[in-house]
């Protein structure tokens, strides 16, 4: 279009007249094209690029609409700011350990960008089923104290928590909704409250308010929403960590009490052992003289006893020996429990030890007309057992004497071995009275005797507990398999060492 001088100046925005005058002047005097960018409405465009070309007496000009282009630019800058803010928030969320510090820092960055004046963070108190104001900024403490606890459905935050949905309140000064009365009284104009939900569970609420703005734009609300999602997870994580720390403290306290209780128990145990040891010693001396004098009476050739008297002295002797055996067992047990060195390891000939135990027990087995079966031990020459031969024989003797004691007349006793690469198991099997499954776990306890048969056979209930301690000290294992009324197999497993 052809424009006259006055038309041109009417067309150009008055605030840009000076800029254009300078541009026309330079273009004319230097005979060069000039380009300008105008951000004032011109020819119904918001942003315009103007090209000025000197042409004859006048100028040739072109106008290009830059509005769309500039809007995209603005959006990019806004997004960059948003991303920077989110990045800042995320790193804060990862590294912060104190919720108050975290929210204060977050609010600090957000308030610059969004013109915010207050934030409130309520935390859901599961036990009381209420919301408690944990962190806040922008209101005096007295006011915060007055709004420290909210019921579900009360005010904006209580409603957001109840419905688990965000609430946006805008242009609050002209709102008649009673729910916004509280924030209206604080002079807040625009307000957004988010429920904080982590893994489907309500953690609390987080809300932001501005006293100077009446509305938030869509992008700002989106930014707040994204930040609240991250805050939910972080606060949940922090509360979990706090709970874990609390549990840890409680565990440590429980542990201290346990250590104390254990020390007390050990003290009591030692007192018991000392008492038993002392008592056993004190009993042994008078008992030995009872046995000695009974023996003398029994063998007195000068004034021999009548048959009736001899029978009575026999009973004294039998009971006395039983008592002495019991006292000796108690002493052995106490010695073991007190951890005195007891096992002397050396290379042992298992077969020879078994044979020795068998020959010691055979006379008693014969009295009951028991049949004894024994296999040869088949250990390879490079497989060695390190043990204590005396203690090992004591163990086998104990198991064998039980297999005689709790057997029936004409029953069987078998000793067999199972050899694996690292262990040898010695089985002592009998066809005796057997042990119920309930009692199998108890017979290794000191002084425990099975109810049914303990009255019939003599015993103290100490033998198996001693055997178990010895086998354990030998780095072995012991166990029993039994059927009540059919018989039992006691086994000991010992480690094999390769040459
Ligand atoms: P004691 O034989 O002196 O009672 P032990 O400690 O050797 O003590 O055994 C504990 C209990 O285990 C015995 O009283 C008995 O009831 C049971 N018991 C042990 N060996 C056998 C066995 N071979 N058969 C059946 N019961 C047994």
């Amino acid at each position: 279009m052809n424009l006259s001088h006055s038309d041109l100046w009417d067309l150009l925005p008055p605030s840009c007249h000076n800029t254009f005058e300078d541009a026309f002047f330079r273009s004319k005097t230097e005979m060069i094209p000039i380009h300008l960018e105008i951000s004032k409405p011109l020819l119904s465009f918001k942003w315009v690029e103007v090209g000025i070309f000197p042409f004859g007496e006048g100028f040739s000009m072109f106008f290009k609409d830059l509005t769309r282009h500039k809007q995209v630019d603005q959006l990019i800058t806004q997004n960059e700011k948003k991303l920077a803010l989110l990045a800042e928030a995320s790193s804060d969320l990862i590294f912060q350990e104190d919720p108050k510090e975290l929210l204060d820092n977050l609010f600090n960055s957000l308030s610059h960008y969004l013109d915010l004046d207050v934030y409130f963070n309520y935390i859901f108190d599961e036990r009381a089923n209420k919301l408690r104001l944990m962190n806040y900024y922008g209101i005096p403490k007295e006011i915060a104290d007055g709004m420290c606890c909210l019921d579900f459905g009360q005010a904006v935050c209580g409603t957001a928590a109840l419905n688990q949905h965000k609430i946006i309140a805008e242009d609050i000064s002209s709102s008649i909704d009673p729910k916004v009365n509280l924030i209206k009284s604080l002079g807040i104009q625009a307000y957004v409250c988010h429920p904080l939900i982590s893994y489907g569970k309500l953690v609390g609420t987080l809300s932001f308010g501005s006293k100077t703005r009446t509305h938030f734009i869509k992008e700002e609300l989106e930014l707040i929403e994204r930040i609240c999602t991250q805050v939910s997870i972080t606060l949940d994580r922090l509360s979990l960590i706090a709970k874990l720390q609390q549990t840890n403290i409680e565990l440590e306290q429980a542990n201290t009490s346990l250590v104390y209780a254990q020390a007390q128990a050990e003290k009591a145990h030692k007192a018991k052992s000392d008492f038993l040891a002392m008592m056993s010693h004190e009993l042994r001396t008078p008992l030995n003289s009872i046995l000695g004098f009974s023996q003398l009476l029994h063998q007195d050739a000068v004034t021999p006893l009548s048959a009736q008297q001899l029978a009575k002295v026999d009973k004294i002797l039998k009971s006395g020996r039983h008592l002495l055996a019991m006292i000796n067992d108690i002493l052995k047990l106490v010695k073991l429990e007190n951890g005195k060195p007891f096992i002397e390891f050396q290379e042992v000939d298992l077969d020879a030890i078994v044979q020795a135990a068998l020959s010691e027990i055979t006379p008693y087995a014969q009295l009951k007309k028991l049949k004894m079966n024994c296999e040869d031990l088949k250990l390879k020459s490079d497989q060695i057992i390190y043990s204590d031969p005396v203690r090992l024989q004591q163990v086998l003797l104990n198991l064998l004497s039980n297999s005689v004691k709790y057997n029936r007349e004409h029953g069987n006793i078998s000793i067999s071995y199972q050899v694996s690469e690292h262990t040898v198991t010695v089985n002592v099997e009998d066809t005796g009275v057997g042990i119920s499954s309930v009692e199998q776990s108890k017979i290794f306890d000191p002084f425990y005797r099975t109810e049914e048969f303990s009255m019939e056979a003599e015993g103290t209930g100490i033998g198996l507990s001693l055997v178990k301690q010895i086998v354990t000290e030998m780095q072995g294992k012991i166990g029993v398999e039994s059927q009540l009324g059919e018989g039992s197999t006691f086994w000991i497993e010992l480690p094999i060492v390769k040459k």
Side-chain angles (χ1 to χ4, degrees):
M1 64 179 117
N2 276 323
L3 288 172
S4 67
H5 184 265
S6 62
D7 285 346
L8 175 66
W9 290 110
D10 283 348
L11 181 79
L12 298 174
S15 56
C16 303
H17 282 187
N18 284 346
T19 318
F20 275 96
E21 258 174 29
D22 288 349
F24 287 137
F25 180 75
R26 267 189 66 213
S27 174
K28 194 80 199 165
T29 48
E30 295 173 32
M31 289 305 279
I32 49 161
I34 303 276
H35 288 266
L36 296 173
E37 259 187 42
I38 304 296
S39 62
K40 299 282 182 297
L42 175 56
L43 292 173
S44 78
F45 308 139
K46 268 190 176 168
W47 265 287
V48 194
E49 183 188 340
V50 184
I52 302 169
F53 298 89
F55 182 70
E57 285 305 303
F59 295 97
S60 160
M61 295 172 74
F62 79 80
F63 299 90
K64 188 176 163 194
D65 181 11
L66 290 181
T67 313
R68 181 79 200 120
H69 180 75
K70 286 290 174 187
Q71 276 172 341
V72 171
D73 263 8
Q74 219 174 29
L75 234 105
I76 290 173
T77 335
Q78 262 181 13
N79 264 339
E80 274 170 2
K81 266 195 193 168
K82 215 188 314 182
L83 283 175
L85 201 68
L86 269 175
E88 207 176 302
S90 316
S91 68
D92 254 19
L93 294 176
I94 292 168
F95 296 115
Q96 287 290 348
E97 286 183 2
D98 173 24
K100 166 103 180 107
E101 208 175 314
L102 161 97
L103 290 169
D104 282 355
N105 286 349
L106 196 63
F107 178 75
N108 205 18
S109 332
L110 268 179
S111 59
H112 280 305
Y113 184 47
L114 304 180
D115 284 333
L116 300 173
D117 298 288
V118 293
Y119 88 82
F120 305 127
N121 168 223
Y122 281 92
I123 292 294
F124 174 42
D125 176 347
E126 245 177 303
R127 255 190 273 166
N129 203 35
K130 282 181 188 299
L131 294 170
R132 303 211 181 274
L133 186 61
M134 275 296 160
N135 309 295
Y136 63 89
Y137 180 86
I139 52 163
K141 188 175 176 308
E142 315 82 72
I143 295 185
D145 288 347
M147 51 192 274
C148 65
C149 182
L150 288 183
D151 283 325
F152 273 76
Q154 188 186 349
V156 179
C157 293
T159 312
L162 178 71
N163 301 333
Q164 303 215 348
H165 212 281
K166 76 170 171 213
I167 294 180
I168 303 163
E170 291 177 315
D171 209 357
I172 292 170
S173 58
S174 47
S175 168
I176 48 159
D177 183 351
K179 291 219 179 305
V180 299
N181 282 350
L182 184 66
I183 46 176
K184 194 197 272 187
S185 70
L186 299 172
I188 295 167
Q189 290 287 339
Y191 188 73
V192 54
C193 175
H194 274 270
L196 300 176
I197 296 166
S198 171
Y199 301 107
K201 196 179 74 188
L202 182 75
V203 179
T205 63
L206 181 59
S207 43
F208 298 97
S210 172
K211 292 180 180 174
T212 50
R213 305 182 54 180
T214 52
H215 293 82
F216 294 114
I217 62 166
K218 193 170 141 256
E219 285 80 12
E220 292 169 341
L221 290 169
E222 275 172 9
L223 173 66
I224 291 177
E225 180 154 7
R226 284 172 72 175
I227 286 179
C228 284
T229 310
Q230 294 187 35
V231 168
S232 312
I233 296 167
T234 309
L235 287 185
D236 195 25
R237 176 176 63 88
L238 290 181
S239 99
L240 213 72
I241 291 173
K243 273 186 204 154
L244 274 177
Q245 280 168 342
Q246 183 55 32
T247 315
N248 209 15
I249 292 172
E250 283 165 14
L251 274 177
E252 270 172 19
Q253 283 168 349
N255 203 22
T256 316
S257 318
L258 266 179
V259 170
Y260 178 74
Q262 195 183 350
Q264 291 294 97
E266 274 168 16
K267 221 166 126 185
H269 185 76
K270 187 165 180 322
K272 181 200 83 181
S273 299
D274 290 349
F275 173 75
L276 282 176
M278 192 264 285
M279 279 303 289
S280 305
H281 270 297
E282 297 303 308
L283 287 175
R284 250 199 322 193
T285 321
L287 189 58
N288 275 329
S289 70
I290 292 173
L291 284 172
F293 283 113
S294 310
Q295 197 74 40
L296 282 178
L297 274 178
H298 202 273
Q299 294 162 354
D300 196 343
V302 188
T303 46
L305 299 179
S306 67
Q308 228 178 2
Q309 285 168 328
L310 266 178
K312 282 178 185 161
V313 172
D314 264 346
K315 273 193 181 157
I316 296 174
L317 271 172
K318 203 173 159 208
S319 301
R321 283 188 192 123
H322 174 63
L323 205 56
L324 188 62
M326 198 167 162
I327 291 168
N328 286 338
D329 276 354
I330 291 176
L331 272 175
K332 281 183 213 159
L333 195 70
V334 170
K335 206 170 156 196
L336 252 187
E337 279 184 350
N338 285 349
K340 303 219 170 97
F342 197 66
I343 307 291
E344 284 171 18
F345 284 95
Q346 55 183 271
E347 196 174 327
V348 297
D349 180 348
L350 183 60
D351 207 17
I353 291 172
V354 170
Q355 289 305 335
L358 270 175
S359 45
E360 210 168 309
I361 214 73
T362 303
Y364 301 99
Q366 281 168 350
L367 286 177
K368 265 192 163 175
K369 303 179 183 71
L370 300 174
K371 199 173 155 223
M372 312 281 283
N373 313 302
C374 176
E375 282 175 13
D376 284 339
L377 177 61
K378 292 178 191 71
L379 276 188
K380 289 186 189 144
S381 56
D382 63 342
Q383 294 175 317
I384 301 170
I385 297 169
Y386 275 100
S387 192
D388 181 320
V390 179
R391 299 292 159 213
L392 188 54
Q393 186 165 335
Q394 184 185 346
V395 166
L396 289 169
L397 212 53
N398 215 308
L399 296 182
L400 280 169
S401 68
N402 278 352
S403 69
V404 173
K405 199 159 58 167
Y406 300 105
N407 219 324
R408 311 172 193 285
E409 288 215 343
H410 302 285
N412 284 323
I413 296 175
S414 313
I415 295 197
S416 60
Y417 312 102
Q418 269 164 272
V419 186
S420 75
E421 202 186 343
H422 301 292
T423 57
V424 56
T425 307
V426 183
N427 299 306
V428 179
E429 191 181 344
D430 66 56
T431 52
V433 292
I435 306 156
S436 72
S437 50
V438 182
E439 293 194 293
Q440 282 170 31
S441 58
K442 300 180 184 167
I443 52 173
F444 295 99
D445 293 343
F447 305 107
Y448 188 85
R449 309 199 70 210
T450 57
E451 280 181 13
E452 236 173 312
F453 305 101
S454 56
M455 293 303 141
E456 293 170 18
E458 258 185 20
T460 58
I462 295 176
L464 283 181
S465 64
L466 251 177
V467 162
K468 187 171 179 180
Q469 292 212 39
I470 295 172
V471 173
T472 312
E473 291 248 334
M474 286 174 177
Q475 271 119 52
K477 289 179 190 160
I478 184 164
V480 63
E481 276 155 31
S482 184
Q483 279 286 325
L484 196 59
E486 288 183 19
S488 315
T489 304
F490 281 82
W491 54 263
I492 56 165
E493 185 191 277
L494 299 170
I496 288 180
V497 181
K498 287 228 173 181
K499 239 185 195 168

